[in-house]
Amino acid sequence: MKKTLVVATLLAASSLSMAATTAAKKPVSQWKCEDFLALDESYQPKAIYFAEGFNKKNKPVDAVMDMDGIEKVVPVVVQECQKAPKASFWDKLKAGWDKAKAKI
């Protein structure tokens, strides 16, 4: 029984690791929500910080980062991505900003 649990745990960990590695190898503008959700929870805000600083053509858009705003948008994006893992992360990020601003 313990052996099966250990094997299942290792398989789950390796599949998450592979998903995170796959996401890291393509531009953020091409991520699906499942790529974002595969990241460790502690890295998800960093991915949003990074994505927010670039437009869809991977060009910098602003020299100023809205730290407070990003902290508010992270849970919105996570929640929306959990509802639609195959959806565009980029679209959910943009929609997340709209929802976060509406709450302010």
Side-chain angles (χ1 to χ4, degrees), residues 48-63:
I48 289 179
Y49 297 146
F50 178 79
E52 191 53 34
F54 287 86
N55 66 19
K56 208 155 185 173
K57 294 178 183 175
N58 292 321
K59 302 286 184 202
V61 292
D62 204 346

Side-chain angles (χ1 to χ4, degrees), residues 10 27 39-40 42 44 64 76 93 95 102:
L10 288 173
L39 296 173
D40 183 270
S42 65
Q44 289 173 344
V64 178
V76 174
L93 177 59

Side-chain angles (χ1 to χ4, degrees), residues 30 41 83 85 97-98 102:
Q30 294 177 6
E41 196 175 289
K83 292 178 188 175
W97 274 111
D98 293 340

